[in-house]
Amino acid sequence: MSARDKVIGAIRAGLGARGDEPGRRGQVRARLERSPHGLIPARARQTKPELIAQFARMLEAQTAVVRTVENLKALPQAIAEQLAAFNLPARLRHGDDPVIAGLDWEGTMIERETGPAIGTDAISLSRASLAASETGTLILTSGADNPSTLNFLPDTHFVVLLAENLHGSYEEAWDALRTTYGRGAMPRTVNFVSGPSATADIEHTLVRGAHGPRRLAVFVVLNGQPTRRKN
Amino acid sequence: MQPTSHSFKQNASAALIDADLQRALGHARGGFSTKRAMARDLLPEFDALCEQAKQIKDHTIAHLDLYLEAYEQKVIETGGQVHWATTAEDARQIILGICKEAGAKLVTKGKSMVAEEISLNGALEGAGYEVAETDLGEYIIQIRNEAPSHIIAPAVHLNRDQVEADFRRVHKHLPEGRSLTEPTELVSEARGILREKFLAADVGITGANFIIAETGTSVIVTNEGNGDLTQLLPRIHIVLTTIEKVVPTLSDVSAILRVLARSATGQEISMYTTFSTGPRRPGDPDGPEEYHVVLLDNGRTEMIGSDFQDMLRCIRCGSCMNHCPVYSAVGGHSYGWVYPGPMGAVLTPQLIGVHEAGSLPNASTFCGRCEAVCPMKIPLPKMMRHWREREYDAGDSPWLQRMAIRGWSYAAKRPKLYRFFANAAMGVMGEWGKARGNFRWLPLAGAWLKYRDLPAPPGRTFQSQWKSELKRRRIEAEMQELGL
Ligand code: SF4
């Protein structure tokens, strides 16, 4: 008997079930197909401005910097200002995400490289395709244009979020993801990021920058209409 | 690892006089529980969410066969491989096989209690692989050649100066005069050392906090981001997990996540929660080329339908040990195996046998705090009592204790005899204890009283006091009737 048959058999013996009961199968199928929402905390059910404010508050409590910008046109300037505020060189790496690729960087003096991160990169810029306000959580999805290494290897991580992609709860964010990827399907990696890397493994003292980024800065773009690039 | 659970008593006695350990436990004491209370208070729905989380897990266990089948199918559909393992040895062999096939040299690991459970490091090192633990706490105990003493804070038994000494001992290539007095300096040093390992590793092994049937996804929850670098950078990612970690859907995992970090560290959510589904997709610029899931039973199926089924709801948050007076006095190593504290007292006898671990369920004051703070509402004290009964049935309890219990039960079934002995004992104890008001030693209870005082009884049994109380009440009632 295979290990699989042994395990499944032992579960069925313990439950007193056969596995072909239409009732049990029906319940399981229905839950998997509908993924029903359970109790959603009240804090996730607020107006958009309140959700944005809560999102920023939560991230700031984790030492992240949160800046709101009016539109994508204003974004490169805000990024340049933040680099200066952190006292960092004007050089960063990003993927080919259309929102980022479509930015007009002229006048910022920022040097840019694209592609997955390598161990020596100091600063990265990624786009969070979604976010959940309830805990100040950015949701980054991997794909050809969004290397996951950008989220972990560099010392400083900049993230762009379009306000329209901010939801109250995790469940609403998943629903939005299902409309993009289809039911039961997922991008290869989905990263919930709720602050810079941390550890309290030595004497219960919180230290930032354990293995992932020490600094996190988030740019919430209120109006996500693509900007027209000057040629 | 070789368990020493049978010598819990000796371990605990040694722990109580270990000055370093007591200093370290002092750092942790109260921290976790205060933070948990604050996180709970910030979320008015917390209790309702715990109840919901419990129901999700109960539903899942009741349909475990079907959810595991659905999960497996999804993993295969997304290009991953599922390896079923019934025993620890099976799981070790599967993992060794994958590493061998890959021609691996260096294996990085994210924190995994299941890996501890199956002594994976020993097996990998024995087969010639270099193994690098990447969670800071795990790294520290790895270079000390120790076991974790807490399921979410493996090095909680250590002090900063001890870690400094270990880093100086092991990181010989770094300048001797460097400063390592601040935790930040220790963290940076470990970051630098482990960064090289991350980038050079051939295989990354992580555990999973959850696996999701809806999508065939494994989930890890960390604050450091080490698990992510472990599973993202090497060519091969192996997820080592156990069958009870499955949850039906993304909604269900979200619901349970809301109570996990709050119960564990008192955070609203951990810094990183990562959902991995299959290997690198066409066009992906990074991610592992192979994605393997080792799905282990190792005694879990035996718990289904038994007195211990509720334990399968455990999400390994550590809240029960953070609130346990015994754990906080003696630390995790006293429990002698992988899982300490109240959850360990229930799980360990199941996993390594009541003969080895039968004394753990006695390491409890039955104060009930563990159950009260368990987000999954697991009746830990009740299950510890079940183990005590089994230990007794298995004949593993000491001879004197068995004779005493037998004698007590003989008398307890014979009320007159019971009253006779009880009155006699109470009279004697009342006299003895009069002077101090409590006992530091009693015959047959030396161990119990070693670290506790027992209040001296008033010299009369409850039954005889109750009798006089009844008499007094009758007299009062009669007097009232008479209008006095
Ligand atoms: S028994 Fe409960 S409190 Fe203890 S680790 Fe498991 S879920 Fe957490």
Side-chain angles (χ1 to χ4, degrees), chain B residues 244 303 307-316 342-344 346-347 378-380 383:
Chain B
E244 83 284 11
M303 296 162 78
D307 287 338
F308 305 102
Q309 178 169 326
D310 288 344
M311 195 60 209
L312 294 172
R313 289 201 298 267
C314 176
I315 52 172
R316 307 287 190 267
M343 58 80 75
V346 173
L347 208 52
I378 299 172
L380 296 156
M383 291 193 287

Side-chain angles (χ1 to χ4, degrees), chain A residues 2-21 23-45 58 62 115-121 134-139 142-157 168-172 174-175 177-178 181-214, chain B residues 23 27-28 31-32 35 39 42-43 45 48-49 52 55-56 59 61-70 72 74 84-86 90 134-138 140 152-156 158-161 163 167 183-184 186-188 190-191 194-195 198-199 212-217 223-226 228-229 231-233 237 243 248-255 257-258 262 267-288 291 295 297 301 304-305 309:
Chain A
S2 72
R4 180 187 190 280
D5 293 345
K6 269 192 217 159
V7 174
I8 297 281
I11 294 170
R12 292 197 171 130
L15 292 173
R18 289 187 318 272
D20 58 358
E21 301 86 346
R24 290 176 79 238
R25 297 196 83 88
Q27 274 206 29
V28 166
R29 200 178 323 112
R31 195 171 185 116
L32 292 177
E33 274 169 14
R34 290 186 299 113
S35 193
H37 292 188
L39 171 64
I40 309 269
R43 65 156 79 161
R45 293 179 268 119
M58 293 282 191
Q62 298 303 326
I118 54 173
T120 48
D121 287 329
E134 62 173 299
T135 45
T137 298
L138 296 157
I139 302 178
S142 72
D145 300 335
N146 286 293
S148 303
T149 37
L150 292 178
N151 310 340
F152 294 96
L153 278 175
D155 232 28
T156 302
H157 189 202
S169 65
Y170 314 132
E171 285 86 337
E172 291 159 280
W174 292 129
D175 285 345
L177 198 76
R178 285 189 192 98
Y181 286 83
R183 198 152 264 294
M186 286 278 268
R188 197 196 70 77
T189 305
V190 177
N191 293 122
F192 278 21
V193 175
S194 309
S197 158
T199 183
D201 272 347
I202 299 172
E203 287 190 355
H204 244 65
T205 311
L206 189 78
V207 177
R208 291 288 170 181
H211 290 294
R214 273 173 239 263
Chain B
R23 196 153 54 94
H27 291 300
F32 277 129
K35 286 190 203 135
L42 283 171
L43 189 67
E45 296 91 346
L49 287 164
Q52 173 179 270
Q55 284 170 13
I56 289 171
H59 165 85
I61 302 296
H63 301 84
L64 189 60
D65 51 334
L66 303 177
Y67 282 121
L68 285 173
E69 285 177 348
E72 179 190 39
K74 275 286 174 188
W84 298 73
T86 48
D90 294 348
T134 62
D135 171 82
L136 179 59
E138 286 283 342
I140 294 168
I152 65 161
V156 72
L158 295 171
N159 299 289
R160 190 210 51 76
D161 49 337
V163 179
F167 278 19
T184 36
L186 292 163
V187 172
S188 305
R191 179 186 168 110
L194 288 167
R195 193 43 82 92
F198 282 128
L199 294 166
I212 308 173
E214 179 188 358
T215 50
T217 300
N223 278 315
E224 298 184 4
N226 65 305
D228 286 284
L229 293 172
Q231 63 184 29
L232 198 52
L233 297 172
H237 176 202
I243 53 170
T249 67
L250 291 164
S251 303
D252 294 319
V253 85
S254 306
L257 280 172
R258 287 198 182 92
R262 291 181 171 97
Q267 292 170 286
E268 301 252 13
I269 188 170
S270 301
M271 294 301 102
Y272 302 115
T273 304
T274 298
F275 302 76
S276 306
T277 313
R280 186 190 286 221
R281 310 254 167 100
D284 276 358
D286 50 23
Y291 176 81
L295 200 48
D297 176 355
T301 48
I304 299 172
Q309 178 169 326

